[in-house]
């Protein structure tokens, strides 16, 4: 199955056999199977560092392993291209089905001395965050990760590296979910097939977590090394919208890809919205709101020039998602996202394949076995039920008349309760040619009992005439016997004679006017025309739009929504679509739109309330509401809200961070008034390291983000009994206060 870029290069289905139409039906079916887990037509630009690209036909945020099982089960029925993304730092995306790992894959498990220095990090943990927190826990060996803007899962898949090290140098094992089989396995590093900027991981392998063997070291030394790495990258590599190094360095001794491109003087080369960086030739920058197709075209152009001039075939680190194979080949990149392309291929089985076993390419069921064996009596009963019953037989007519002799029609002994041996018992065969004879035989023994219907018991007393409802045999009935006047005497049917039959209601006595079809059609056309005239009348066109409750909502979005409604009829204006667009803004919790005759629409917006903020690895502030949702990403510091100290993940607006940040946001509105007056900021130093600092310098450690209310009560009690000026720290992570008086 091919993936095609959306937008200007979008395929249009021309008939029902078109590949686009088939894929659309498969995507629709997949959406039904995934239910509320699936979001349709989601813009993927915010999920990549290029900030460009198309939309995911379906996006699933896996909040638990159960969500991954749901995706796996759905993909078994509808095999469509699938992509699992982390930070999107080496992706150029056009279209597809995308799975994003949620908070369950953002946890980090830390060792404590003197335990072995092994760290287990979730697949969605950003490498810079992991590197900084390793230094905080006095672990060394992962400092290089501070300069790689990717996630643990993506880093394992690509064997990411830099500054003299890579994933393969420290990884011990990885926990991997197999989308094709719906199973989880712990895979040793030797079985991952790690190589220079690659591995044996396929699109259906999801890295849930990875375990790294590090060393105990000095926090200050690690932080100094990371500062040096960050300084070097800022001096030599551009920021902005890019995916890091585009092309892989050639074989050892062949020089760097950046130096090779520099030899041709290609810095500043531009195609559309994409440009070779003027700071580093192996980086491609993309303009805000740019095109993924422009980036791919520029990659292909640079690669072609290098090959024609120098004979060097550059290969790309960037994975092209949603592009056809020809475009990817021209850019020197690999396409990704194909779930079924890897099924049934002829490539040799890798060590990773042997861990899970190869994918089955058909739906053939194996031989079913029953264990333990059934009891003998059950087996005998099953054999008796499903044994061969033989052929159905009919007595042979030897008389030549074509009818079964009466003497042979019932030869079975009724008292024996069994059929004659050798033949399967069947019902007597009745020749339909004798049906009329049987019907007219009113004197024989086979005459059926007459049918008598009496409804007198169902009549009210005043409704019962003398003699009640008389039953009379219809003389025209084919079953009537004209020789007798007694109802039902030998007949198969009697007819009820009821005086109420034939009486018509008063409204039915009026003659119904006959209307010509042409007149009726003309009347219908007139009504439809009148409705259309009313709907299209400028009297009911929306002119007045009132907006209330707006403070932080994107003004451009409000203007766009208003423009889409203005001029439309109040009866047909797409208020539901406008509501969905407004509620797509992270600041908008709920939007209500109402219309009023003749030309007014009222938009009422309930905004989320910002309560706290933290700084991401990119040094930009993330504003949170009380539920921990990221409302906005700012370049400055919103000091009007409570600060959460510590470096957090680079989350886009509209997403929800890990549990500890959700707890920190809720903590911001939960402080007792006595503590709030003394509060300086909240602190997050890890997934289980929540706390806050008072203006006196007192450090309060709450530990894991659980049982926060009781911990706050303990802290408030301690502060009420002692002067915080003389308290250096309060540790209530264990549920009991440990006071450090410094």
């Amino acid at each position: 199955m091919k993936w095609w870029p959306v937008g200007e290069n979008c395929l249009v289905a021309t008939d029902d056999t078109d590949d686009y139409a088939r894929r659309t039906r498969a995507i629709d079916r997949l959406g039904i199977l995934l239910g509320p887990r699936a979001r349709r037509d989601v813009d993927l630009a915010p999920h990549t560092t290029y900030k460009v690209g198309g939309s995911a036909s379906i996006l699933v945020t896996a909040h638990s392993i159960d969500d991954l099982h749901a995706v796996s089960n759905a993909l078994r029925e509808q095999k469509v291209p699938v992509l699992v993304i982390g930070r999107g730092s080496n992706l150029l995306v056009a279209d597809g089905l995308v799975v994003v790992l949620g908070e369950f894959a953002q946890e980090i498990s830390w060792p404590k001395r003197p335990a072995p220095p092994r760290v287990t990090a979730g697949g969605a943990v950003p490498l810079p965050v992991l590197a900084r927190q390793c230094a905080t826990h006095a672990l060394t060996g992962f400092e290089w990760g501070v300069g790689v803007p990717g996630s643990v899962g993506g880093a394992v898949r690509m064997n990411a590296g830099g500054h003299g090290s890579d994933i393969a140098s420290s990884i011990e094992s990885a926990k991997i979910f197999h989308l094709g089989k719906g199973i989880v396995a712990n895979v040793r590093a030797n079985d991952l097939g790690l190589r220079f900027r690659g591995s044996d991981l396929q699109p259906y392998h999801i890295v849930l977590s990875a375990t790294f063997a590090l060393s105990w070291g000095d926090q200050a030394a690690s932080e100094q090394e990371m500062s040096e790495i960050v300084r070097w990258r800022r001096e030599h590599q551009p920021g902005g919208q890019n995916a890091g190094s585009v092309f892989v360095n050639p074989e050892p001794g062949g020089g760097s890809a950046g130096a090779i491109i520099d030899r041709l003087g290609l810095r500043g080369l531009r195609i559309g919205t994409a440009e070779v960086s003027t700071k580093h030739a192996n980086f491609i920058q993309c303009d805000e709101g740019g095109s993924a197709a422009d980036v791919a075209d520029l990659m292909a152009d640079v690669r072609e020039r290098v090959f024609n001039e120098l004979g060097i075939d550059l290969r790309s680190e960037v994975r092209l998602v949603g592009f056809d194979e020809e475009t990817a080949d021209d850019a020197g990149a690999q396409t990704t996202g194909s779930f079924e392309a890897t099924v049934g291929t002829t490539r040799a089985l890798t060590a990773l394949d042997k861990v899970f076993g190869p994918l089955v390419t058909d739906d053939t069921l194996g031989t079913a076995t029953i264990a333990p064996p059934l009891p003998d009596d059950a087996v005998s009963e099953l054999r008796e039920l499903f044994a061969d019953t033989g052929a159905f037989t009919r007595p042979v007519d030897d008389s030549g008349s074509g009818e079964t002799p009466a003497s042979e029609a019932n030869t079975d002994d009724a008292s024996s309760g069994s059929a004659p041996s050798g033949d399967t018992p069947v019902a007597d065969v009745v020749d339909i040619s004798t049906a009329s004879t049987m019907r007219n035989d009113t004197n024989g023994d086979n005459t059926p009992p007459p049918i008598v219907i009496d409804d007198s018991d169902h009549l009210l007393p005043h409704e019962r005439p003398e003699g009640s409802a008389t039953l009379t045999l219809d003389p025209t009935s084919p079953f009537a016997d004209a020789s007798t006047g007694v109802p039902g005497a030998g007949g198969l049917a009697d007819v009820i004679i009821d005086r109420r039959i034939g009486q018509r209601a008063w409204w039915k006595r009026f003659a119904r006017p006959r209307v010509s079809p042409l007149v009726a059609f003309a009347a219908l056309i007139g009504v439809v025309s009148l409705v259309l005239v009313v709907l299209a009348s400028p009297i009911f066109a929306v002119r007045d739009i009132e907006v209330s409750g707006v403070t932080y909502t994107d003004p451009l979005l409000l203007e766009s929504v208003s423009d889409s409604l203005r001029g439309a009829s109040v009866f047909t204006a797409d208020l539901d679509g406008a509501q969905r667009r407004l509620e797509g803004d992270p600041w908008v919790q709920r939007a209500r739109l109402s219309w009023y005759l003749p030309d007014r629409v009222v938009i009422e917006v309930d905004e989320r309330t910002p309560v706290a903020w933290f700084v991401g690895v990119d040094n930009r502030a993330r504003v949170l509401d009380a539920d921990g949702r990221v409302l906005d990403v700012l370049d400055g510091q919103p000091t009007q809200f409570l600060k959460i100290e510590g470096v957090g993940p680079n989350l886009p607006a509209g997403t929800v961070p890990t549990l500890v940040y959700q707890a920190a946001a809720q903590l911001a509105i939960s402080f007792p008034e006595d503590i709030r007056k003394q509060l300086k900021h909240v602190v997050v130093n890890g997934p289980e390291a929540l706390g806050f600092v008072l203006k006196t310098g007192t450090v309060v450690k709450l530990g894991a983000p659980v049982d926060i209310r009781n911990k706050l009560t303990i802290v408030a009690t301690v502060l009420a009994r002692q002067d915080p000026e003389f308290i250096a720290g309060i540790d209530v992570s264990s549920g009991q206060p440990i006071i450090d008086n410094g």
Side-chain angles (χ1 to χ4, degrees):
M1 176 181 294
K2 290 184 178 180
W3 290 39
W4 299 92
V6 296
E8 58 189 17
N9 297 325
C10 183
L11 271 180
V12 178
T14 58
D15 55 58
D16 192 55
T17 62
D18 193 283
D19 180 69
Y20 178 84
R22 288 194 298 269
R23 188 174 75 250
T24 300
R25 290 196 300 271
I27 289 292
D28 290 341
R29 176 59 181 164
L30 194 67
I32 294 173
L33 294 173
L34 292 173
R37 290 183 172 91
R39 294 165 55 197
R40 300 298 299 269
D41 300 324
V42 179
D43 182 18
L44 289 180
H47 295 276
T48 68
T49 54
Y50 264 126
K51 303 302 181 187
V52 296
S55 62
S57 299
I58 294 181
L59 184 138
V60 176
T61 301
H63 298 287
S64 66
I65 194 70
D66 292 337
D67 291 337
L68 292 180
H69 279 291
V71 173
S72 175
N73 293 335
L75 286 174
R76 292 177 197 174
E77 178 172 331
Q78 294 294 334
K79 291 181 173 61
V80 302
V82 61
L83 170 71
V84 181
I85 64 175
R87 310 298 298 173
S89 59
N90 66 331
L91 297 177
L92 189 59
V93 180
D95 185 22
L97 162 66
V98 174
V99 179
V100 178
L101 295 182
E103 60 277 2
F104 84 102
Q106 298 176 359
E107 299 295 329
I108 306 176
S109 176
W110 299 105
K112 293 184 178 180
R113 292 179 186 265
R118 288 180 175 84
V119 176
T120 300
V125 174
L127 287 187
V129 172
L130 179 60
R132 293 183 183 278
Q133 294 194 14
C134 282
T136 301
H137 288 80
L139 292 165
T140 184
F142 211 84
E143 290 82 0
W144 62 271
V146 75
V148 181
S151 65
V152 168
V156 173
R157 182 180 299 275
M158 296 297 295
N159 188 23
H163 303 279
S165 188
D166 58 11
I167 286 291
S169 63
S170 59
I171 188 172
E172 279 194 342
S173 63
K175 180 182 290 186
I176 297 176
F177 182 89
H178 195 302
L179 271 178
K181 294 177 175 292
I183 57 178
V184 179
N186 287 311
V187 182
R188 296 175 303 176
N190 293 338
D191 294 333
L192 293 173
L194 298 175
R195 50 190 176 273
F196 183 71
R197 300 301 178 264
S199 69
D200 288 338
L201 291 171
Q202 300 298 320
Y204 45 77
H205 292 133
I206 300 179
V207 179
L208 300 180
S209 64
T211 299
F212 302 96
L214 304 178
S215 303
W216 294 113
D218 180 65
Q219 177 179 352
S222 296
E223 291 179 347
Q224 177 62 31
E225 181 178 350
M226 288 190 296
S227 297
E228 194 64 24
I229 292 174
V230 172
R231 182 195 61 77
W232 184 91
R233 292 181 71 91
R234 287 177 177 172
E235 290 179 359
H236 295 85
Q237 296 179 356
Q241 296 181 186
N242 62 67
S245 297
V246 175
F247 296 103
V248 180
N249 293 335
E251 296 298 325
S256 68
I260 291 172
I261 299 172
D262 250 345
R263 289 168 59 184
L264 301 183
L266 298 182
R267 294 195 188 195
L269 177 65
R270 171 175 285 270
I271 293 181
T273 59
E275 180 186 57
V276 176
S277 172
T278 57
K279 192 172 186 178
H280 194 301
N282 199 22
F283 280 66
I284 292 180
Q285 302 290 112
C286 190
D287 298 341
E288 185 175 353
S291 167
D294 291 343
V295 178
D297 290 343
L298 184 57
M299 291 169 60
D301 189 26
V302 169
R303 181 168 176 262
E304 182 180 10
R305 293 181 185 224
V306 170
F307 184 78
N308 292 338
E309 294 289 333
L310 304 176
I312 299 175
D313 186 12
L314 293 178
R315 307 304 299 176
S316 175
E317 294 185 31
V318 179
R319 291 188 296 160
L320 266 60
V321 182
F323 292 86
D324 57 87
E325 294 180 2
E326 182 180 356
T327 301
D329 289 341
D330 291 344
Q334 58 173 322
T335 56
T336 188
S338 178
F339 178 82
E340 55 188 8
T342 52
V343 181
T345 57
T346 57
R347 65 179 177 84
L349 293 181
T350 64
L352 184 59
D353 291 326
K354 294 176 182 178
V355 172
F356 292 98
L359 284 176
V360 179
T361 59
D362 58 28
D363 296 325
T364 305
L365 295 177
T367 304
T369 57
I370 301 175
L374 293 174
D376 294 339
D377 54 348
V379 174
S380 300
E381 183 176 353
L382 290 173
R383 287 177 177 172
E384 182 179 349
L385 288 174
F386 296 101
D388 186 7
T389 57
F392 289 92
T393 60
R394 174 181 293 188
V396 179
D397 179 13
D398 296 331
S399 64
S401 62
E403 298 180 359
T404 302
S407 60
E408 298 180 6
N410 293 303
T411 57
D412 298 343
D413 185 1
S415 62
S416 65
S418 62
S421 62
D423 288 333
T424 301
V426 296
D428 294 339
V429 178
V430 179
D431 192 340
I432 61 173
S433 63
T434 62
S436 60
T437 304
M438 295 174 60
R439 182 187 64 195
N440 295 328
D441 184 10
T442 58
N443 298 323
D445 296 336
N446 293 330
T447 301
I451 299 175
V452 179
I453 303 176
D454 186 353
D455 71 341
S456 59
D457 292 338
H458 300 285
L459 299 178
L460 295 176
H462 67 277
E463 293 178 323
R464 298 178 183 175
E466 187 67 24
S468 187
T470 304
L471 302 180
T472 306
L473 187 65
D474 184 1
T476 64
S477 171
F479 302 102
D481 184 1
S483 62
T484 176
V486 181
L492 291 178
D494 289 330
V495 179
I496 302 174
I497 304 299
D498 196 321
R499 296 177 182 178
R500 294 170 297 174
I501 296 179
Q503 295 180 358
R504 301 178 64 186
W506 63 270
W507 61 84
K508 295 182 180 179
R509 297 177 185 176
F510 297 98
R512 296 180 180 176
R514 295 186 178 181
V515 180
S516 169
L518 292 177
V519 175
F521 181 73
L524 178 62
I525 294 297
V527 172
V528 172
S529 301
L530 180 61
V531 171
L532 293 177
V533 169
V534 171
L535 293 179
S537 172
I539 298 176
F540 301 106
V542 176
R543 285 185 290 271
D544 183 14
I545 299 178
E546 299 179 8
V547 182
S548 63
V550 172
T551 302
Y552 302 102
T553 304
D554 185 358
L556 295 179
L557 175 61
L558 280 172
E559 182 179 355
S560 174
V561 170
S562 299
D563 290 344
S564 67
L565 297 176
R566 190 171 287 109
S569 172
V570 292
F571 300 109
T572 59
D574 187 11
L575 300 186
D576 290 338
Q579 176 185 349
R580 288 192 296 270
R581 290 182 61 191
L582 288 172
E583 291 179 349
D585 189 318
W587 284 99
V588 178
Q589 183 174 16
R590 186 181 300 103
R592 295 180 296 275
L593 286 84
S594 308
W595 57 267
Y596 299 91
L597 293 175
D599 59 358
R600 186 162 63 102
V601 170
V602 175
I603 302 175
E604 300 174 278
V605 176
D606 294 337
E607 291 186 331
R608 294 184 171 91
T609 303
V611 298
W613 63 281
F614 67 88
V615 176
V617 177
D618 58 0
N619 205 31
R620 303 182 70 193
R622 270 71 181 174
V623 181
L624 305 179
D625 68 355
D627 296 326
R629 180 186 300 271
V630 178
L631 301 179
D632 206 347
V633 181
L634 305 175
D635 291 325
Q637 296 188 359
T639 55
Q640 66 268 39
F641 313 127
L642 182 65
K643 182 179 180 181
I644 301 175
E645 191 70 30
V647 179
N650 288 349
L651 297 178
T655 57
V656 178
T658 56
L659 183 61
V660 67
Y661 279 95
Q662 296 178 46
Q666 295 175 9
L667 187 63
I669 61 173
S670 302
F671 284 109
E673 189 61 29
D674 293 341
I675 297 180
R676 184 180 300 277
K677 294 177 181 179
Q678 308 176 59
L679 184 65
K680 183 178 180 182
H681 55 248
V682 177
V683 178
V684 171
N685 285 325
E688 295 187 355
L690 177 64
F692 57 90
V693 177
L694 301 180
K695 295 176 182 179
T696 58
T698 304
V699 178
V700 179
K701 297 181 180 180
L702 301 177
V706 295
D707 202 21
I708 299 298
R709 179 175 298 180
N710 289 337
K711 293 177 180 178
L712 280 178
T713 303
I714 295 173
V715 173
T717 303
V718 171
L719 295 177
R721 295 177 178 177
Q722 298 187 36
D723 189 346
E725 292 284 351
F726 302 99
I727 302 177
I730 305 174
D731 188 350
V732 292
S733 56
S734 64
Q736 297 295 328
I738 300 176
I739 302 174
D740 180 9
N741 291 322

